[in-house]
Structure formats: structure tokens, C-alpha cells
Amino acid sequence: MTTQTERPKPVIRLGDRVFARSTLIAGSLILVALAAVAIFLIVEAIPALGADTTELKGSPSNFWTYVGPLAFGTVWAAFLALLIAVPLAVGIALFISHYAPRRLAQGLAYVIDLLAAVPSVVFGLWGIKVLAPAVQPVYAWMTDNLGWIPLFSGPVSGTGRTILTVAIVLAVMILPIITAMAREVFLQTPKLHEEAALALGATRWEMVKMAVLPFGRSGLVSASILGLGRALGETMAVAMVLSPSTVISFVLLQSENPNTIASNIALNFPEAHGTGVNVLIATGLILFVITFAVNFIARAIVARRKEFSGAN
């Protein structure tokens, strides 16, 4: 009578156990840090929700009237920056990955990556000293010739420090992030897909449209949302360039522009005291919620497109 042999248990080495537990601890620390930030913001923001209106700058009727224009300006500036940066980033990434000679592509990739190392203060100084004076005549021309479009209606700003200038600065700041990720995603396109498209008679652009862009769509969405997160939380460049007002306006070229939450905190925190500090922290909580919502939506979009990704 034969006995069934038992399979030997797998031997888990000490290094594997240490590595597994280390990664578990590292992943848990992210959740703990996120929860700690959320709890701090909520606890400190509670006194501001029922604060006396005299404690708020501009004496609005309530906290929500105060934070409304700031939340709008934050989302509006980041959206404009993304609208400018994403097409440029996709074009640069495609040129580096599929069009440029190898030596030129490597050098250009290094230059684009170096932009990510430039401090935001430098971008702010560039926006004030170089960009704003340079674009002001262009804004005047746009108002004279395109003023019938509500976005470009006048009177035009005399300094060029408008929400559109801020969007251009933010677009330059997030361009390296989106370009680097898009480049790496496009380079992962299976060569068989590209060669099959070319073998069927497709041009270079048709091959990119049929094989490369569909393959990298989910990665491009992730890269765009990563850049959007940088634009939503940018502080110094916006505070230095923008000429802010407490308004909600879609107009791009006027001197009255909606401020952003991060910039407002940076400008007002040194002089804040008492409940005013809680008010600024409460606006930070609103920014936290906006960022979380944007990332949640992005993850949902990526999850819907994952079955079309070459990674699967």
C-alpha cells in the first residue's frame, strides 16, 4: 500500500521575511502620515467654520464665501496649466521616443529632466521679470482683436501679471514631470505593434496614432494627474507672479484675478493670528479635499482603461 508523499513546505529565508515586513511597514507609514495630516487639518479647521466674519480678510459673510473664490482660482489656474502643458509634453515625448536621432533624444531628455530641478522661486522671478513684460503687448493685442470672446475681454492688465501668465509659468513647471512619464510610457510600446502597423502601410504618424497613443493612454492620464497635483499645490511662483483679488472670474487678461489657496496661505500666514490661523488651515483642508478628489477620479479613469494597456 503506497502512501501519498507530502509536498515539502517552501522555505522562507530570513532576508525574504525582513524585506516583506519592511515593505509592509513602509506602505503602512504612507497611510498613517496621510491620516495624521487629515486629522490635523480637520481639528484645526473646525473653529474656522463658525468663525466671526471680522476675523476673515475682506469681511465676507462666512467662511465658504471666503474660500469659494480661492478654490475656484486654484482649480482654474491648474486647469489652464494642464491645458497648455499636456499637448506640449505629448509632442516632446513623441519626438524624443520616435522621431529624434538617438544622441539628440538623449540630450533633449536630460535638458527636460533638468527643468524639474529648478526651484519654484526661480520660475516666479522669471515670470515677473521676463514673461509678464513680454506677454503684456500680446495681451493688449488679444483684447483689441479678440475682446468679443468673454475670456479675452478687457480692460487688459498693464503689468501682464494675470491668471494666464500664472498658467504659463505652472505649465513650464509641470512640463518635465508629464514629459518624462509620457516618454517612458511611449518607449514601452511593443515593437511588434509598431512594426505591424508600418508593415500594413501606415505612415509614422498613423503608426503613432494606432499603436503608441492607445498603448500609453492610461499612463498619460496618470502623468497628467501627477502634473495637475503639482500645479494645484504650487505656492511661491503663484504668489510672486499673480496680482490677486477676491473674485470669481473666467477672464484671463484683466488685472483682477482669482487667487489660489496655496498662494493665499503663503501671503497671509505671517500676519495671521487667533482664528485667522484656523481659517487658513481650513482653506488648506479644502485644498486637501480637492487634491484627493482629483486623484480619486484619475484612478477611476486609469482603472477603466487598464484592460487596453499593454501592461496587461
Side-chain angles (χ1 to χ4, degrees), residues 262-291:
S263 173
N264 181 72
I265 293 174
L267 292 174
N268 294 289
F269 192 82
E271 300 177 357
H273 62 278
T275 311
V277 177
N278 299 101
V279 170
L280 295 178
I281 294 177
T283 60
L285 176 62
I286 300 300
L287 179 59
F288 181 85
V289 172
I290 292 173
T291 306

Side-chain angles (χ1 to χ4, degrees), residues 190-223:
K191 292 298 181 183
L192 289 177
H193 294 184
E194 298 179 1
E195 293 173 357
L198 294 173
L200 291 174
T203 63
R204 181 72 63 89
W205 162 241
E206 289 173 339
M207 179 272 293
V208 168
K209 184 172 62 175
M210 291 187 299
V212 179
L213 292 180
F215 177 86
R217 188 172 300 169
S218 60
L220 185 59
V221 171
S222 300

Side-chain angles (χ1 to χ4, degrees), residues 234-282:
E234 179 53 41
T235 303
M236 290 308 302
V238 178
M240 295 172 68
V241 176
L242 189 64
S243 178
S245 302
T246 309
V247 296
I248 297 178
S249 175
F250 289 96
V251 182
L252 302 177
L253 308 180
Q254 294 183 2
S255 57
E256 292 187 352
N257 304 278
N259 201 359
T260 65
I261 293 177
S263 173
N264 181 72
I265 293 174
L267 292 174
N268 294 289
F269 192 82
E271 300 177 357
H273 62 278
T275 311
V277 177
N278 299 101
V279 170
L280 295 178
I281 294 177

Side-chain angles (χ1 to χ4, degrees), residues 149-190:
I149 302 176
L151 290 175
F152 307 124
S153 61
V156 67
S157 171
T159 61
R161 297 172 62 180
T162 68
I163 193 70
L164 183 57
T165 305
V166 169
I168 296 174
V169 173
L170 291 178
V172 175
M173 295 180 67
I174 67 178
L175 188 64
I177 301 173
I178 304 176
T179 302
M181 292 190 63
R183 182 183 72 239
E184 294 302 321
V185 170
F186 294 155
L187 287 173
Q188 298 302 318
T189 305

Side-chain angles (χ1 to χ4, degrees), residues 13 45 53 63 79 82 88 99 115 144 166 178 186 194 202 204 241 261 288 293 297 301-302:
R13 299 180 180 179
T53 56
F63 169 76
F79 171 76
L82 205 64
L88 290 175
Y99 286 90
L115 284 176
D144 294 338
V166 169
I178 304 176
F186 294 155
E194 298 179 1
R204 181 72 63 89
V241 176
I261 293 177
F288 181 85
I297 294 172
I301 295 174
V302 172

